[in-house]
Amino acid sequence: MINNSIGADIHTHILPGIDDGAENTDISLRLIASEKETGVTDLVLTPHFNMSDVALEDFLSRRAEAFAKLSEKLKETDASSDMRFHLAAEVRYDPHLIKLDLEKLCIGNTSYLLLETTGSFPFNFENTLSFMLSRGITPILAHIERYEYLRSDSPLLERLIDSGVLLQCNASSVFGKNRSSTVIKLIKRGYVDLLASDCHSPVYRPPNLFEAYKKLKKESERLIDNSLKVVNDKLI
C-alpha cells in the first residue's frame, strides 16, 4: 500500500541545462515541487553520460556546475525542504566503461550505477556487466522495456538477475498503450526491481511515480522499498 512517502525517484533529468531534461532552474524547481507533492523523499539526479561524447572529468565538472546553480536557486524556495538529492548519471553502455573510475558515476556514495543500454544487443554485454559486479558496482539497467532483446528474453533476464544486475522500468510505461501489459507482467514476475519517472519536463515527461504505484497496488511496496535501499546503499 502507498502511504505519504513513495521513496526515491532514482532516474530523473532535473539538473538544469546539462542534457535533454530541464532547460533551466525554473523548470527544475517545477519538477522538484511536483516530486515532493506526490511523496518523493529522495531525488537521484541522472544526466546523460556518454564516454564517446565527453570525458569523464569534463562531465563531472558540468554536473557539479549545474547542481551548484540549482542549489543556489533552491535557497529561494522551500520546494525541496525535507528532500535529499543524490548526484549520479544515466551512463550510456560502452564495453570500454570498465576503464573508467565508475564510482564517480554511481548514485551518491553508493555502489549502484544507472546504465542505459543500446537499441541492439550490445557488444560484450554480459562480460562487461560481470566485470562491473566483480569490482563491487551494481548495474541498474534503465528502462528495460524499451529493448526487445531484454524484455522478450526471459533466460537472459534471469541470468542477469541471478548475477546481481538490477532492472528498472519507467513509470510512464505502466500506462503506455504498447508496453503496459508487458511491464506489469515483468513486475509481477519479480523481474523488475525498480520503478522511476525518468522525468524530463513538467509537460511532456512529468514525474508520475505516484500514479504508477497506485495502479500497481500491492507490487508498489517492494519497488518503493527497493528505491530507498538504493539511495541508502543497502543490498536489494
Side-chain angles (χ1 to χ4, degrees):
M1 295 295 292
I2 301 175
N3 52 32
N4 293 329
S5 168
I6 58 170
D9 191 350
I10 63 110
H11 183 174
T12 73
H13 295 272
I14 287 175
L15 278 182
I18 189 172
D19 62 6
D20 60 342
E23 296 177 6
N24 53 55
T25 53
D26 289 336
I27 293 176
S28 297
L29 291 182
R30 288 173 62 190
L31 289 168
I32 291 168
S34 179
E35 294 269 27
K36 180 183 177 182
E37 184 179 336
T38 57
V40 172
T41 59
D42 292 72
L43 279 176
V44 181
L45 307 171
T46 56
H48 291 287
F49 170 74
N50 187 336
M51 67 178 295
S52 298
D53 296 336
V54 61
L56 175 58
E57 293 305 321
D58 289 342
F59 168 79
L60 295 175
S61 177
R62 289 181 58 212
R63 187 183 69 177
E65 183 180 344
F67 186 58
K69 187 182 298 184
L70 176 60
S71 298
E72 192 64 30
K73 192 72 172 179
L74 285 169
K75 293 177 183 178
E76 303 172 8
T77 175
D78 63 352
S80 66
S81 60
D82 301 322
M83 294 187 79
R84 296 194 304 164
F85 295 88
H86 311 265
L87 286 176
E90 181 181 2
V91 180
R92 180 75 167 179
Y93 176 82
D94 189 301
H96 301 294
L97 279 170
I98 57 176
K99 299 177 182 179
L100 301 183
D101 186 357
L102 292 176
E103 286 82 0
K104 293 180 178 180
L105 295 167
C106 286
I107 293 173
N109 296 316
T110 77
S111 58
Y112 292 102
L113 179 75
L114 185 66
L115 190 65
E116 177 184 30
T117 181
T118 55
S120 57
F121 196 87
F123 175 73
N124 209 30
F125 189 50
E126 292 187 70
N127 286 338
T128 301
L129 297 182
S130 178
F131 186 82
M132 290 179 182
L133 288 160
S134 73
R135 284 176 50 181
I137 293 172
T138 301
I140 301 172
L141 297 187
H143 39 58
I144 64 159
E145 68 274 20
R146 292 185 182 178
Y147 310 110
E148 173 68 20
Y149 63 86
L150 281 177
R151 59 185 166 85
S152 65
D153 189 341
S154 293
L156 171 60
L157 289 180
E158 289 170 1
R159 288 200 305 274
L160 293 175
I161 292 167
D162 288 344
S163 71
V165 173
L166 302 179
L167 309 180
Q168 178 251 312
C169 280
N170 283 358
S172 59
S173 296
V174 173
F175 308 102
K177 294 180 181 179
N178 298 325
R179 296 179 181 146
S180 61
S181 60
T182 299
V183 168
I184 292 172
K185 187 182 298 183
L186 290 171
I187 291 172
K188 289 186 175 181
R189 286 180 178 175
Y191 287 167
V192 175
D193 305 282
L194 296 151
L195 202 66
S197 75
D198 191 10
C199 64
H200 283 62
S201 158
V203 178
Y204 301 107
R205 296 177 68 178
N208 51 8
L209 270 177
F210 180 79
E211 292 83 359
Y213 283 141
K214 192 162 65 170
K215 181 173 181 178
L216 291 171
K217 298 178 182 176
K218 64 180 181 180
E219 283 82 11
S220 64
E221 185 175 348
R222 174 180 64 88
L223 298 169
I224 292 170
D225 186 50
N226 282 348
S227 74
L228 291 172
K229 285 179 179 177
V230 166
V231 295
N232 289 294
D233 202 25
K234 294 182 178 180
L235 190 64
I236 292 179

